[in-house]
Amino acid sequence: MEFEHIIELINAVSKSNLSTFTLEEGNMKITLGTKQPEIITKSFEVQNTQVGEYKVIQPGLPAEEALPAEKTEGHEITSPLVGTFYTSASPDAEPFVTVGTHVTKGQVLGIIEAMKLMNEIESDCNGVVEKILIGNEEMVEYGQTLFVIKEEA
């Protein structure tokens, strides 16, 4: 096989959707491959349906095939605005809270960035963090439940 034909073959495979291609001709074997883009998927997403309930939406399933709504028990902390949620003050810092953390009224639970402004999300009760329903650097909607706190009596 001539060098020009090899170059044409490389160009053709590069432009195609093939991930690998092998050609054997006599005692010569050519294997070409393209690096596929890495696809990152989330294991689940949380969608508010009404106060006190949420549904788990599995990737690739329509909303009507979502798992049944789960009743949350405890006090819900919701997002006061739309933005990007952060679990800590900086990428290398420890998260403000984790599941099981005892919190007091006014304690910072996370940060929501909106229009380049950092807005602290504070607990409005004393208790223990039961659930964290949002991940670091995820987009949040107004009114979306972020945390469930089991209030102290």
Side-chain angles (χ1 to χ4, degrees):
M1 178 175 268
E2 295 181 20
F3 182 73
E4 292 80 26
H5 287 55
I6 294 173
I7 298 299
E8 287 177 25
L9 184 61
I10 291 171
N11 289 332
V13 170
S14 296
K15 292 177 185 175
S16 74
N17 290 331
L18 295 173
S19 59
T20 59
F21 175 81
T22 303
L23 172 70
E24 291 187 46
E25 191 174 284
N27 62 354
M28 180 179 67
K29 180 178 179 180
I30 298 175
T31 301
L32 303 172
T34 58
K35 186 174 185 179
Q36 296 297 315
E38 184 178 341
I39 299 173
I40 300 172
T41 59
K42 298 177 183 175
S43 59
F44 68 90
E45 294 179 16
V46 177
Q47 170 187 331
N48 261 354
T49 56
Q50 56 181 288
V51 175
E53 295 184 358
Y54 64 93
K55 285 188 176 182
V56 176
I57 308 297
Q58 296 173 323
L61 289 180
E64 52 274 4
E65 292 184 33
L67 298 176
E70 293 183 31
K71 188 73 176 164
T72 59
E73 293 188 26
H75 180 74
E76 295 182 350
I77 305 292
T78 59
S79 175
L81 67 160
V82 175
T84 304
F85 179 80
Y86 295 100
T87 58
S88 60
S90 66
D92 55 342
E94 291 292 317
F96 292 110
V97 295
T98 58
V99 172
T101 301
H102 183 272
V103 295
T104 57
K105 186 174 182 176
Q107 181 175 342
V108 176
L109 304 174
I111 296 174
I112 296 178
E113 178 185 5
M115 298 175 57
K116 303 293 180 193
L117 296 174
M118 300 299 180
N119 303 278
E120 292 182 341
I121 305 304
E122 298 176 348
S123 176
D124 55 5
C125 66
N126 296 329
V128 176
V129 177
E130 288 282 306
K131 295 179 183 176
I132 300 175
L133 303 173
I134 189 74
N136 191 42
E137 298 183 8
E138 287 188 16
M139 292 297 299
V140 295
E141 298 293 326
Y142 172 79
Q144 178 178 345
T145 303
L146 306 173
F147 300 92
V148 177
I149 298 178
K150 183 177 181 182
E151 289 186 87
E152 293 179 338

PDB file of all heavy atoms in Angstrom, residues 104-125:
ATOM      1  N   THR A 104     -26.909  24.548  63.610  1.00  0.00           N
ATOM      2  CA  THR A 104     -27.656  25.505  64.419  1.00  0.00           C
ATOM      3  C   THR A 104     -28.239  26.567  63.512  1.00  0.00           C
ATOM      4  O   THR A 104     -27.759  26.778  62.391  1.00  0.00           O
ATOM      5  CB  THR A 104     -26.744  26.169  65.474  1.00  0.00           C
ATOM      6  OG1 THR A 104     -25.650  26.793  64.799  1.00  0.00           O
ATOM      7  CG2 THR A 104     -26.209  25.152  66.464  1.00  0.00           C
ATOM      8  N   LYS A 105     -29.275  27.242  64.007  1.00  0.00           N
ATOM      9  CA  LYS A 105     -29.929  28.292  63.240  1.00  0.00           C
ATOM     10  C   LYS A 105     -28.893  29.358  62.875  1.00  0.00           C
ATOM     11  O   LYS A 105     -28.125  29.810  63.714  1.00  0.00           O
ATOM     12  CB  LYS A 105     -31.061  28.908  64.069  1.00  0.00           C
ATOM     13  CG  LYS A 105     -31.885  29.895  63.303  1.00  0.00           C
ATOM     14  CD  LYS A 105     -33.076  30.356  64.114  1.00  0.00           C
ATOM     15  CE  LYS A 105     -33.917  31.305  63.291  1.00  0.00           C
ATOM     16  NZ  LYS A 105     -35.128  31.709  64.011  1.00  0.00           N
ATOM     17  N   GLY A 106     -28.841  29.696  61.583  1.00  0.00           N
ATOM     18  CA  GLY A 106     -27.896  30.690  61.099  1.00  0.00           C
ATOM     19  C   GLY A 106     -26.589  30.112  60.562  1.00  0.00           C
ATOM     20  O   GLY A 106     -25.798  30.818  59.959  1.00  0.00           O
ATOM     21  N   GLN A 107     -26.371  28.816  60.747  1.00  0.00           N
ATOM     22  CA  GLN A 107     -25.142  28.178  60.263  1.00  0.00           C
ATOM     23  C   GLN A 107     -25.198  28.048  58.743  1.00  0.00           C
ATOM     24  O   GLN A 107     -26.223  27.696  58.166  1.00  0.00           O
ATOM     25  CB  GLN A 107     -24.984  26.800  60.898  1.00  0.00           C
ATOM     26  CG  GLN A 107     -23.718  26.078  60.472  1.00  0.00           C
ATOM     27  CD  GLN A 107     -23.530  24.758  61.218  1.00  0.00           C
ATOM     28  OE1 GLN A 107     -24.133  24.523  62.259  1.00  0.00           O
ATOM     29  NE2 GLN A 107     -22.684  23.910  60.665  1.00  0.00           N
ATOM     30  N   VAL A 108     -24.073  28.327  58.083  1.00  0.00           N
ATOM     31  CA  VAL A 108     -23.991  28.243  56.626  1.00  0.00           C
ATOM     32  C   VAL A 108     -23.994  26.777  56.198  1.00  0.00           C
ATOM     33  O   VAL A 108     -23.210  25.969  56.695  1.00  0.00           O
ATOM     34  CB  VAL A 108     -22.727  28.955  56.089  1.00  0.00           C
ATOM     35  CG1 VAL A 108     -22.598  28.772  54.588  1.00  0.00           C
ATOM     36  CG2 VAL A 108     -22.751  30.429  56.456  1.00  0.00           C
ATOM     37  N   LEU A 109     -24.895  26.448  55.256  1.00  0.00           N
ATOM     38  CA  LEU A 109     -25.003  25.085  54.729  1.00  0.00           C
ATOM     39  C   LEU A 109     -24.365  24.957  53.355  1.00  0.00           C
ATOM     40  O   LEU A 109     -23.931  23.887  52.951  1.00  0.00           O
ATOM     41  CB  LEU A 109     -26.479  24.684  54.637  1.00  0.00           C
ATOM     42  CG  LEU A 109     -27.301  24.780  55.923  1.00  0.00           C
ATOM     43  CD1 LEU A 109     -28.764  24.504  55.628  1.00  0.00           C
ATOM     44  CD2 LEU A 109     -26.757  23.829  56.962  1.00  0.00           C
ATOM     45  N   GLY A 110     -24.341  26.043  52.608  1.00  0.00           N
ATOM     46  CA  GLY A 110     -23.798  26.040  51.255  1.00  0.00           C
ATOM     47  C   GLY A 110     -23.829  27.445  50.697  1.00  0.00           C
ATOM     48  O   GLY A 110     -24.234  28.399  51.383  1.00  0.00           O
ATOM     49  N   ILE A 111     -23.415  27.568  49.444  1.00  0.00           N
ATOM     50  CA  ILE A 111     -23.373  28.871  48.766  1.00  0.00           C
ATOM     51  C   ILE A 111     -24.036  28.708  47.407  1.00  0.00           C
ATOM     52  O   ILE A 111     -23.821  27.709  46.717  1.00  0.00           O
ATOM     53  CB  ILE A 111     -21.920  29.356  48.584  1.00  0.00           C
ATOM     54  CG1 ILE A 111     -21.258  29.595  49.936  1.00  0.00           C
ATOM     55  CG2 ILE A 111     -21.857  30.606  47.717  1.00  0.00           C
ATOM     56  CD1 ILE A 111     -19.777  29.939  49.844  1.00  0.00           C
ATOM     57  N   ILE A 112     -24.807  29.702  47.013  1.00  0.00           N
ATOM     58  CA  ILE A 112     -25.350  29.741  45.657  1.00  0.00           C
ATOM     59  C   ILE A 112     -24.788  30.986  44.973  1.00  0.00           C
ATOM     60  O   ILE A 112     -24.923  32.095  45.481  1.00  0.00           O
ATOM     61  CB  ILE A 112     -26.887  29.763  45.637  1.00  0.00           C
ATOM     62  CG1 ILE A 112     -27.429  28.459  46.222  1.00  0.00           C
ATOM     63  CG2 ILE A 112     -27.395  29.957  44.203  1.00  0.00           C
ATOM     64  CD1 ILE A 112     -28.932  28.388  46.291  1.00  0.00           C
ATOM     65  N   GLU A 113     -24.131  30.754  43.827  1.00  0.00           N
ATOM     66  CA  GLU A 113     -23.597  31.857  43.039  1.00  0.00           C
ATOM     67  C   GLU A 113     -24.638  32.256  42.006  1.00  0.00           C
ATOM     68  O   GLU A 113     -25.131  31.434  41.245  1.00  0.00           O
ATOM     69  CB  GLU A 113     -22.311  31.439  42.322  1.00  0.00           C
ATOM     70  CG  GLU A 113     -21.749  32.531  41.445  1.00  0.00           C
ATOM     71  CD  GLU A 113     -20.544  32.086  40.631  1.00  0.00           C
ATOM     72  OE1 GLU A 113     -20.186  30.901  40.667  1.00  0.00           O
ATOM     73  OE2 GLU A 113     -19.977  32.946  39.947  1.00  0.00           O
ATOM     74  N   ALA A 114     -24.971  33.534  42.008  1.00  0.00           N
ATOM     75  CA  ALA A 114     -25.906  34.077  41.030  1.00  0.00           C
ATOM     76  C   ALA A 114     -25.374  35.432  40.585  1.00  0.00           C
ATOM     77  O   ALA A 114     -25.132  36.307  41.415  1.00  0.00           O
ATOM     78  CB  ALA A 114     -27.298  34.221  41.633  1.00  0.00           C
ATOM     79  N   MET A 115     -25.167  35.569  39.303  1.00  0.00           N
ATOM     80  CA  MET A 115     -24.662  36.816  38.721  1.00  0.00           C
ATOM     81  C   MET A 115     -23.363  37.275  39.403  1.00  0.00           C
ATOM     82  O   MET A 115     -23.184  38.424  39.756  1.00  0.00           O
ATOM     83  CB  MET A 115     -25.730  37.904  38.792  1.00  0.00           C
ATOM     84  CG  MET A 115     -26.965  37.545  37.993  1.00  0.00           C
ATOM     85  SD  MET A 115     -28.322  38.711  38.152  1.00  0.00           S
ATOM     86  CE  MET A 115     -27.561  40.228  37.647  1.00  0.00           C
ATOM     87  N   LYS A 116     -22.457  36.341  39.601  1.00  0.00           N
ATOM     88  CA  LYS A 116     -21.137  36.559  40.194  1.00  0.00           C
ATOM     89  C   LYS A 116     -21.183  36.992  41.657  1.00  0.00           C
ATOM     90  O   LYS A 116     -20.193  37.437  42.208  1.00  0.00           O
ATOM     91  CB  LYS A 116     -20.325  37.586  39.383  1.00  0.00           C
ATOM     92  CG  LYS A 116     -20.132  37.216  37.938  1.00  0.00           C
ATOM     93  CD  LYS A 116     -19.267  35.996  37.801  1.00  0.00           C
ATOM     94  CE  LYS A 116     -19.081  35.646  36.346  1.00  0.00           C
ATOM     95  NZ  LYS A 116     -18.533  34.337  36.159  1.00  0.00           N
ATOM     96  N   LEU A 117     -22.348  36.871  42.292  1.00  0.00           N
ATOM     97  CA  LEU A 117     -22.477  37.160  43.716  1.00  0.00           C
ATOM     98  C   LEU A 117     -22.643  35.851  44.469  1.00  0.00           C
ATOM     99  O   LEU A 117     -23.400  34.979  44.049  1.00  0.00           O
ATOM    100  CB  LEU A 117     -23.682  38.064  43.987  1.00  0.00           C
ATOM    101  CG  LEU A 117     -23.614  39.462  43.393  1.00  0.00           C
ATOM    102  CD1 LEU A 117     -24.925  40.191  43.620  1.00  0.00           C
ATOM    103  CD2 LEU A 117     -22.459  40.248  44.004  1.00  0.00           C
ATOM    104  N   MET A 118     -21.940  35.718  45.581  1.00  0.00           N
ATOM    105  CA  MET A 118     -22.015  34.523  46.400  1.00  0.00           C
ATOM    106  C   MET A 118     -23.034  34.748  47.512  1.00  0.00           C
ATOM    107  O   MET A 118     -22.913  35.688  48.292  1.00  0.00           O
ATOM    108  CB  MET A 118     -20.645  34.191  47.006  1.00  0.00           C
ATOM    109  CG  MET A 118     -19.578  33.931  45.973  1.00  0.00           C
ATOM    110  SD  MET A 118     -20.010  32.522  44.945  1.00  0.00           S
ATOM    111  CE  MET A 118     -18.612  32.478  43.859  1.00  0.00           C
ATOM    112  N   ASN A 119     -24.058  33.897  47.559  1.00  0.00           N
ATOM    113  CA  ASN A 119     -25.136  34.002  48.535  1.00  0.00           C
ATOM    114  C   ASN A 119     -25.089  32.805  49.471  1.00  0.00           C
ATOM    115  O   ASN A 119     -25.246  31.665  49.019  1.00  0.00           O
ATOM    116  CB  ASN A 119     -26.492  34.034  47.814  1.00  0.00           C
ATOM    117  CG  ASN A 119     -26.581  35.173  46.825  1.00  0.00           C
ATOM    118  OD1 ASN A 119     -26.868  36.283  47.209  1.00  0.00           O
ATOM    119  ND2 ASN A 119     -26.299  34.892  45.551  1.00  0.00           N
ATOM    120  N   GLU A 120     -24.869  33.064  50.759  1.00  0.00           N
ATOM    121  CA  GLU A 120     -24.805  31.977  51.729  1.00  0.00           C
ATOM    122  C   GLU A 120     -26.207  31.448  52.012  1.00  0.00           C
ATOM    123  O   GLU A 120     -27.147  32.216  52.184  1.00  0.00           O
ATOM    124  CB  GLU A 120     -24.162  32.460  53.032  1.00  0.00           C
ATOM    125  CG  GLU A 120     -22.688  32.787  52.880  1.00  0.00           C
ATOM    126  CD  GLU A 120     -22.047  33.224  54.183  1.00  0.00           C
ATOM    127  OE1 GLU A 120     -22.770  33.630  55.124  1.00  0.00           O
ATOM    128  OE2 GLU A 120     -20.813  33.156  54.262  1.00  0.00           O
ATOM    129  N   ILE A 121     -26.330  30.131  52.048  1.00  0.00           N
ATOM    130  CA  ILE A 121     -27.579  29.480  52.414  1.00  0.00           C
ATOM    131  C   ILE A 121     -27.421  29.041  53.867  1.00  0.00           C
ATOM    132  O   ILE A 121     -26.544  28.237  54.187  1.00  0.00           O
ATOM    133  CB  ILE A 121     -27.871  28.258  51.504  1.00  0.00           C
ATOM    134  CG1 ILE A 121     -27.849  28.665  50.031  1.00  0.00           C
ATOM    135  CG2 ILE A 121     -29.188  27.602  51.893  1.00  0.00           C
ATOM    136  CD1 ILE A 121     -28.800  29.791  49.677  1.00  0.00           C
ATOM    137  N   GLU A 122     -28.260  29.592  54.735  1.00  0.00           N
ATOM    138  CA  GLU A 122     -28.147  29.325  56.161  1.00  0.00           C
ATOM    139  C   GLU A 122     -29.301  28.450  56.639  1.00  0.00           C
ATOM    140  O   GLU A 122     -30.399  28.500  56.091  1.00  0.00           O
ATOM    141  CB  GLU A 122     -28.144  30.641  56.944  1.00  0.00           C
ATOM    142  CG  GLU A 122     -26.972  31.536  56.614  1.00  0.00           C
ATOM    143  CD  GLU A 122     -27.036  32.880  57.333  1.00  0.00           C
ATOM    144  OE1 GLU A 122     -28.099  33.210  57.906  1.00  0.00           O
ATOM    145  OE2 GLU A 122     -26.018  33.595  57.305  1.00  0.00           O
ATOM    146  N   SER A 123     -29.033  27.712  57.688  1.00  0.00           N
ATOM    147  CA  SER A 123     -30.075  26.910  58.318  1.00  0.00           C
ATOM    148  C   SER A 123     -31.011  27.842  59.071  1.00  0.00           C
ATOM    149  O   SER A 123     -30.562  28.782  59.723  1.00  0.00           O
ATOM    150  CB  SER A 123     -29.454  25.901  59.288  1.00  0.00           C
ATOM    151  OG  SER A 123     -30.474  25.201  59.965  1.00  0.00           O
ATOM    152  N   ASP A 124     -32.298  27.571  58.976  1.00  0.00           N
ATOM    153  CA  ASP A 124     -33.258  28.388  59.720  1.00  0.00           C
ATOM    154  C   ASP A 124     -33.821  27.621  60.916  1.00  0.00           C
ATOM    155  O   ASP A 124     -34.854  27.994  61.474  1.00  0.00           O
ATOM    156  CB  ASP A 124     -34.369  28.911  58.809  1.00  0.00           C
ATOM    157  CG  ASP A 124     -35.095  27.814  58.058  1.00  0.00           C
ATOM    158  OD1 ASP A 124     -34.808  26.628  58.296  1.00  0.00           O
ATOM    159  OD2 ASP A 124     -35.961  28.142  57.228  1.00  0.00           O
ATOM    160  N   CYS A 125     -33.112  26.547  61.307  1.00  0.00           N
ATOM    161  CA  CYS A 125     -33.520  25.781  62.486  1.00  0.00           C
ATOM    162  C   CYS A 125     -32.308  25.033  63.038  1.00  0.00           C
ATOM    163  O   CYS A 125     -31.272  24.944  62.395  1.00  0.00           O
ATOM    164  CB  CYS A 125     -34.634  24.795  62.134  1.00  0.00           C
ATOM    165  SG  CYS A 125     -34.118  23.496  61.004  1.00  0.00           S
TER     166      CYS A 125
END
